[in-house]
Every structure is written in C-alpha cells, then in structure tokens.
Amino acid sequence: MARSSSAFAAGAAHLVLSVCVWTVVNKAVPYAYMDEPFHVNQTQLFCGGNYSHWDDKITTLPGLYVLSHGVSAFTQVVAPSPCSVELLRLNNVVLGVLLFAVTVAVLRQLHPSASGRSLALHALSLSTLPLLFFFQFLFYTDVGSLFFTLLFYLCYLKKQGVAAFLGGSMAVLFRQTNIMWVVYFALANTVDEAEAAKDRREDGSSKWYEKGIVGEVYAFFAYVWKARYSLLLRLLPPSLLAAGFVIFVKWNGGIVVGDRSNHQPVFHLAQVAYFCLFSAALLSPLLLCRIRSAMSSFAQRPAGWIVLGAILVAFFALAVQYFTIEHPFLLSDNRHYTFYLWKRFLSKKVVLSPVYAAAAVALLLVSDNKSVLWRIGFFLTTSATLVPTPLLEPRYFLPPFAVLFLHLSPSRSLSSFFVISMYAIINVACIYMFVARPFTWVDGSEARFLF
C-alpha cells in the first residue's frame, strides 16, 4: 500500500503540473509551431476521414495520427473540435502521465526490493527530464514513442506476449528505430536471466571460462540452450516484430518514409560522444552523490581505468575529428539550443575528447550494477540508433537515456531530490524562454526557442 501511495502522490503532482504548463503554453502559443504543422495537418486529415493523402515531409510512420484520430472519436462527444491544436497537445500530456505510470511499473519489475518512495521519485525524475517534459506540451512523437517502447518492455517482463506485441507495434509505428529497443529489451532480459541462473548455481569453484566477460557469454549461451523451448515462445513477439520490420524496409526501400533528402543514413560516430555528454550532464547529481563509490572502484584497479580512459580519449578524438556531420539545419537554425551548443562548445571537436571520455567513464561507473555483456549490448543498440542519424537532435537521445536511467539502482530520496530540482530549474527556464521570449526570425515570422 505504501508503494502505491507514493507513486499515486507523485503521479498526481505530475498530472497537476502538466495541466498547468499545458494551459500556459496554449495561451502563449495557440498555433502549431516548428514541426507541429506537419503532425497536426496529417492528424486533421485522418480526423476528416482522408487516409489517402500523406505529407512527404513526414518521415515517421503514422502511429501518432492513428492514436490521436482514435482518441478524437471519444472526445468529440464533449469537445466540438477534438483535433484542434490544443486538444492534440493534450493527448501528449495524457501520454506523459501514462508514461509515468508505466515507468513506475517497469521499475517495480527491475528493482523489486526498492522502497515505494524511491521508485516513485526515480520515476518522477525521468518524467521531468527537460527534453521529455518540454515536448509533452507540443504535438510531437517523442512522448508517445517512449511510452509504447516502455509499455512493450513492461509487458515483456511480465510475460504478457500479446500485449507486448501490440505495445511494440505501436512503438515502431511512432518511430521506426524503436525496433532496435524492442529487440534489445528481449536480449538484455535474457542476459539478466542468464546472470541470475549463474548466480544461483555458483558454488565458489568456477572454472576459468565461467569468470569475467567470458563467463557472462558462457552463461548466456548455456542458459539459452537450457531454456531454449520456453525462450522460443517468449521471444516470439519481438521476433515477429523484427521480421515484420525487415519486410517493411525491403518493401519501402529504406527505414524512412516521406522526405529522405535530409535523412540519408550516414556514419555519424560523433553522436556517441554527444550522447555520453548529454547523459552524464543530466545524471550529474547522481554522479556527485556516488563519487565515493566511484573513487573506490578506481582505487581497486587504477591502471585499468587509466588505460580505458586513454582508449576512450583516442576513440572520441577520432570520432569527432573524422566522423562528425555538420548538418545544414544545425548550422543555420538559431531557434534550436543545439545551434548555440554547437557554435560555442561542440564545434571544438578534438579539444573536447577528454570531456567525452570522462562522461563515458562516468556512465560506466554509474551503471556498474549491470553486467559487462548488458553494457556492451546497450552501447551497440545506442550506436545503431544514433550513428546513422546526420542531425544532432537531443530528442533522439531520449530512448537510450531512459533505458539507462531505468536500470540504475533507485537512489536515496536526497539524490532524487537533487535530480528533480536540477530538472525543475532547466524546465522553468526552457518553458519561460519558449512562451515569453519570442523573436523575429530571418523570414519575418515569429520564432521561439526550443530543443
């Protein structure tokens, strides 16, 4: 009961705050802004029964529009214009609240021994993450995309195959790259189960091939073979989704639908550096609270950490010097914060490689409760979703950050308080800049700052 009451109180606070901010944003910006016109217009076509027209500027599948059209069938009873900009944005607010609920449920599965208060605060921290919180109030795909991705994960953890398949399907319909996380969740959960099985049978006399990363790989394949029949059934939903996605890509001629001119796959290795920096910065309160354990880990194997740091510095120097894509949108669109980050900071490239390396080491230290195999899988999946993307867009960092955040051991209340406080300051500043500091853009239109 205590667990539920903490989550309910945090969820209620999140709901009230979200509705208040939604009201402020709609009053200041009652029209569709930036990418919203594409999403709003397409949804309104669906609401009007026109399913044949597709705006070529849209590059994602129609999950957002189908869901919003379905919701409008119910809301039209009480709202004369259920597909107005204001109410379409409200759909995202509702999805944000549902995302909080799913996050709490996933955390309960991953950390069954954690207290209700720590789980609620951990979930609230993720729900108030500046990027995620900000785009709750605009009609974008990000909130719904993350919600359905985590819904798949929750259903998969609870062994609800049909529900997992439906949640995964919607996740992919919101954003194609979510198929990577659907597959990753299934494999990572198998890794966790293999580790648990290994721990149960360990008797202190492990052979050489049962230790370290070799032992993790051995335990993984041993578990897969032993549980092969149950795993075949368990892995059926993600396997069907993956097979369906491969067929779609073959039929479509690529992952992107619509406008492909600005979304050609590239080898943008610098995205890994940006993600590490983004994540370490947003996890900085937790990192500071865990500095003692980090120093202890370093003291146990100083030579190993120094060698790893040197390798990472060299890797990031190579990545940012030779595999950075300076997208035209990044260099010219001063309505986005990334324009200023690039101009004043990220364009320094090689000079920042020690900073990127330090951020990567920090992420390794903060995720030390996970196996090496799990972390390798996470790195590969994150790279697979980010590296082909030419544009530096922090919204694309949300899924991997959420996965990492969910698997961190829930912190003490004080640590979570620091995280939520930092996020609150950033959110207030960003919402204020968006609603209260418009400026005239080069084409004479009213412009506003956003991520």
Side-chain angles (χ1 to χ4, degrees):
M1 182 63 71
R3 270 185 152 204
S4 299
S5 60
S6 297
F8 181 80
H14 178 59
L15 171 61
V16 172
L17 177 62
S18 297
V19 171
C20 291
V21 176
W22 169 76
T23 303
V24 170
V25 168
N26 279 296
K27 185 175 181 181
V29 191
Y31 51 87
Y33 179 70
M34 193 65 75
D35 289 348
E36 278 190 305
F38 305 117
H39 301 308
V40 170
N41 292 342
Q42 189 64 53
T43 304
Q44 290 176 342
L45 285 172
F46 278 30
C47 291
N50 184 349
Y51 307 107
S52 59
H53 177 79
W54 183 261
D55 189 337
D56 286 338
K57 292 295 182 182
I58 297 172
T59 59
T60 54
L61 293 169
L64 178 65
Y65 322 128
V66 171
L67 179 66
S68 300
H69 177 35
V71 171
S72 71
F74 297 95
T75 55
Q76 66 182 354
V77 177
V78 294
S81 302
C83 290
S84 64
V85 174
E86 182 180 22
L87 289 182
L88 289 177
R89 288 173 176 172
L90 185 60
N91 289 345
N92 261 6
V93 172
V94 174
L95 283 171
V97 175
L98 293 175
L99 175 59
F100 171 82
V102 168
T103 301
V104 171
V106 170
L107 288 171
R108 286 175 177 167
Q109 294 290 318
L110 296 177
H111 311 283
S113 61
S115 68
R117 175 181 293 182
S118 63
L119 293 180
L121 289 174
H122 204 65
L124 190 61
S125 299
L126 181 60
S127 294
T128 55
L129 180 72
L131 273 168
L132 185 60
F133 186 76
F134 182 88
F135 282 102
Q136 267 189 199
F137 311 107
L138 297 178
F139 193 57
Y140 276 57
T141 59
D142 304 277
V143 178
S145 169
L146 187 57
F147 166 72
F148 283 110
T149 303
L150 296 188
L151 181 62
F152 165 82
Y153 192 26
L154 174 63
C155 295
Y156 189 82
L157 289 172
K158 298 179 75 171
K159 301 182 180 180
Q160 299 171 344
V162 175
F165 179 81
L166 294 175
S169 299
M170 285 301 296
V172 175
L173 285 174
F174 264 72
R175 184 163 292 163
Q176 292 92 308
T177 52
N178 285 337
I179 190 64
M180 305 287 189
W181 294 109
V182 166
V183 173
Y184 171 74
F185 283 144
L187 294 178
N189 182 248
T190 306
V191 169
D192 287 341
E193 290 178 346
E195 282 294 304
K198 175 188 172 186
D199 292 341
R200 284 195 299 269
R201 67 173 182 269
E202 223 163 53
D203 59 2
S205 57
S206 301
K207 300 177 178 62
W208 67 269
Y209 55 81
E210 295 178 337
K211 299 177 181 179
I213 179 61
V214 176
E216 291 182 16
V217 174
Y218 174 81
F220 175 77
F221 284 106
Y223 175 77
V224 168
W225 178 252
K226 184 178 180 180
R228 57 190 181 278
Y229 298 118
S230 61
L231 279 176
L232 281 174
L233 184 61
R234 182 89 186 277
L235 292 171
L236 186 59
S239 299
L240 290 174
L241 288 168
F245 188 77
V246 170
I247 294 171
F248 159 75
V249 171
K250 183 70 176 176
W251 170 79
N252 187 55
I255 293 177
V256 174
V257 298
D259 180 23
R260 301 183 186 182
S261 59
N262 292 305
H263 297 85
Q264 292 294 328
V266 294
F267 190 69
H268 194 179
L269 195 57
Q271 292 275 31
V272 178
Y274 305 145
F275 169 74
C276 289
L277 186 61
F278 168 88
S279 300
L282 289 173
L283 290 173
S284 55
L286 292 182
L287 294 172
L288 291 173
C289 291
R290 300 183 185 189
I291 190 69
R292 182 177 297 178
S293 62
M295 294 302 294
S296 174
S297 178
F298 178 82
Q300 291 174 8
R301 291 179 293 177
W305 283 109
I306 291 172
V307 171
L308 176 62
I311 292 173
L312 287 172
V313 169
F315 169 77
F316 286 123
L318 179 70
V320 298
Q321 182 63 33
Y322 297 105
F323 300 101
T324 293
I325 307 296
E326 299 181 11
H327 197 283
F329 292 172
L330 175 66
L331 302 177
S332 62
D333 196 340
N334 65 344
R335 296 169 296 181
H336 293 276
Y337 293 120
T338 47
F339 171 87
Y340 304 96
L341 284 172
W342 174 263
K343 183 178 179 181
R344 300 175 184 178
F345 186 61
L346 298 178
S347 60
K348 308 303 180 187
K349 294 186 178 179
V350 176
V351 176
L352 294 175
S353 53
V355 179
Y356 297 135
V361 169
L363 296 184
L364 287 172
L365 288 170
V366 81
S367 61
D368 60 358
N369 62 319
K370 304 304 296 182
S371 67
V372 175
L373 196 58
W374 187 97
R375 285 183 279 183
I376 290 173
F378 175 77
F379 169 77
L380 292 176
T381 307
T382 300
S383 299
T385 58
L386 296 180
V387 171
T389 307
L391 180 62
L392 170 56
E393 175 57 85
R395 290 186 294 121
Y396 300 158
F397 300 156
L398 284 174
F401 181 85
V403 172
L404 179 63
F405 196 86
L406 286 171
H407 285 87
L408 299 180
S409 299
S411 306
R412 296 173 302 167
S413 297
L414 185 61
S415 301
S416 294
F417 172 78
F418 288 143
V419 173
I420 293 171
S421 297
M422 184 181 83
Y423 291 177
I425 292 170
I426 298 173
N427 283 327
V428 168
C430 291
I431 296 296
Y432 170 77
M433 292 295 292
F434 183 72
V435 302
R437 296 295 299 272
F439 62 99
T440 303
W441 206 39
V442 290
D443 62 357
S445 63
E446 184 178 75
R448 296 175 184 272
F449 294 105
L450 77 170
F451 291 102

